[in-house]
Amino acid sequence: HELRSPLTVISGYLDSLAEDPQIDPDWEQPVQQMRTQARRMAHIVSELLELSKLESAGRANMSQLVNAGGLLIAASKARAGRDNIPEIRVQRESEALLYGNSTQIESIIDNLLSNAVRHTPRDGSITMTWRSSKKGAEIVVEDTGEGIAAEHLLRLTERFYRVDAGRSREHGGTGLGLAIVKRIVAEHGGVIHAENPASGGGQVVL
């Protein structure tokens, strides 16, 4: 919390500078770079706060009936029409509702979809699936990105772990998203599993 307030002030001044028509041309690119890094720092702080809250709080209210399939559709629509976003498909194979915490399920979906978007080319695709059976229910996020080497798969949910640190910095990854997902999934009594399908790309199953 002590970092969030000064970052908000810094970002505000940088936004004002970037929008000033009288800004010196030599400062336009540095100001844009500072804005990008300030937003990245704010995102890291936000994710650290979310993870800290999950770890310090008691068990969340799991009595809500969550429309997981509907949340997948909403997440897809929220990104529709954006530039450089691959095609996002939703397969709603079940109408079952999930007992859990709606806000936390939304966080799971947002983290997984954001991660898939970062690692999938514009001409690729992402498929999100909600299905259930007598054995339980699954949210599956699959993409046609570059995939992940087998030696990294078991470490994906470690805090700040990044398969390619340089690429992650470029695209704004923090290495915290999947740690947050793992924590929330565990709160709901589930498990997270990542693999490289034979067809290529990556797949995360909850």
Side-chain angles (χ1 to χ4, degrees):
H1 289 287
E2 295 301 320
L3 289 172
R4 176 173 281 176
S5 294
L7 276 173
T8 300
V9 174
I10 291 170
S11 295
Y13 278 114
L14 288 172
D15 289 342
S16 297
L17 281 171
E19 296 169 2
D20 187 348
Q22 298 181 347
I23 187 173
D24 188 319
D26 291 338
W27 277 97
E28 289 182 2
Q29 184 175 356
V31 168
Q32 289 296 341
Q33 290 175 336
M34 286 187 283
R35 289 179 77 194
T36 298
Q37 293 305 315
R39 285 194 295 267
R40 172 170 163 72
M41 289 174 67
H43 183 58
I44 292 173
V45 169
S46 178
E47 291 202 327
L48 281 170
L49 287 172
E50 182 177 359
L51 191 56
S52 176
K53 182 179 178 181
L54 286 168
E55 292 177 339
S56 61
R59 187 171 178 81
N61 178 12
M62 299 294 177
S63 63
Q64 301 171 359
L65 280 174
V66 181
N67 185 348
L71 292 179
L72 292 179
I73 293 172
S76 173
K77 289 182 177 180
R79 288 168 172 77
R82 295 187 188 179
D83 293 336
N84 300 317
I85 295 292
E87 179 186 8
I88 302 175
R89 307 166 184 159
V90 175
Q91 296 181 167
R92 192 171 181 174
E93 299 179 2
S94 172
E95 295 297 324
L97 301 179
L98 173 69
Y99 273 111
N101 183 286
S102 180
T103 300
Q104 291 187 355
I105 299 299
E106 283 188 73
S107 181
I108 287 175
I109 294 170
D110 184 67
N111 274 297
L112 292 181
L113 184 54
S114 296
N115 190 64
V117 167
R118 279 198 301 272
H119 295 281
T120 304
R122 175 67 181 84
D123 58 353
S125 65
I126 299 168
T127 302
M128 300 190 295
T129 305
W130 166 246
R131 58 189 179 215
S132 65
S133 67
K134 293 181 179 180
K135 296 180 178 180
E138 293 180 332
I139 293 175
V140 183
V141 179
E142 185 173 5
D143 64 66
T144 59
E146 71 274 14
I148 300 171
E151 63 267 24
H152 297 298
L153 289 174
L154 293 178
R155 301 190 62 189
L156 289 180
T157 57
E158 293 180 12
R159 297 183 193 185
F160 298 109
Y161 185 78
R162 294 178 294 201
V163 174
D164 185 337
R167 177 182 170 90
S168 293
R169 282 193 295 269
E170 178 186 351
H171 292 275
T174 64
L176 286 170
L178 289 181
I180 291 172
V181 169
K182 181 180 179 181
R183 181 74 187 192
I184 295 174
V185 171
E187 284 284 312
H188 284 76
V191 295
I192 178 172
H193 172 70
E195 62 182 36
N196 287 318
S199 57
Q203 183 181 71
V204 177
V205 182
L206 308 178

